[in-house]
Amino acid sequence: MKVFSKRKNGRERAVYFFGCRILSYRTRPVSHSCVAHGKGNRLPASVPKSLEVTVWGDDNVLECAEDMIFAGRIRIGTRDCPVRNCRVVIGAGTTAEACDILLLESGSEVLIGEDSLISEGVRIWCSDTHALLSSETGEVTNRGRRIVIGRHCWLGLGASVLKNVELPEGTVVGMHAVVAGERELAPKCALAGNPARVVKENVVWDRRRPEECPQ
């Protein structure tokens, strides 16, 4: 018999010591928010309870497939940085755990393809939080336009995908990798490191555990 053990029944939780209950409590129900501050914003009629959506600005769009499973938050603009005409699209069959999506520039978009897997702690930031200017002309050099994550991509634990990145179909991004910059990538490759580089080519990932796959 375990010295300490835990049991749960719905929202009920209990802790046992040598089989005797010493503590019981109830967890709070999971809540979500989907709030738009502005005019002409189009958000889904319902979002998963595990997803927090906040929009500041006008004419922004969020499109979510009905069968996606998505946890985390989506921020389109902020109180001090409202935006216009931004778009976030999440494809059918995509799953995510504690993902953070951020857009801070008008007209930018994040497009996530079907059947993608986004692990815990992934950041998909389509914008930098401060401007980077040319010392000679004063021109902004770090504008964010879009992020495209192709169909059936897998983003590993804690990975970051930054502005203007396009991941082709079947891309695998390793744990804590940082994918940044505009460049050509071949489909079905694996990226790792900071900055991320191609470490494997012609790979096809599967939602099964390795030991569940045939030898």
Side-chain angles (χ1 to χ4, degrees), residues 6 16 25 111 134 146 167 192:
K6 296 181 180 181
Y16 291 79
Y25 58 96
L111 310 177
S134 167
R146 69 191 319 219
L167 300 179

Side-chain angles (χ1 to χ4, degrees), residues 58-96:
D58 302 328
D59 302 314
N60 301 292
V61 178
L62 170 61
E63 300 176 13
C64 300
E66 292 184 0
D67 63 344
M68 72 160 194
I69 301 174
F70 208 98
R73 63 177 178 173
I74 297 174
R75 294 173 291 165
I76 302 175
T78 60
R79 183 191 297 270
D80 61 347
C81 182
V83 294
R84 299 178 59 91
N85 300 313
C86 290
R87 185 167 67 121
V88 175
V89 178
I90 303 173
T94 288
T95 58

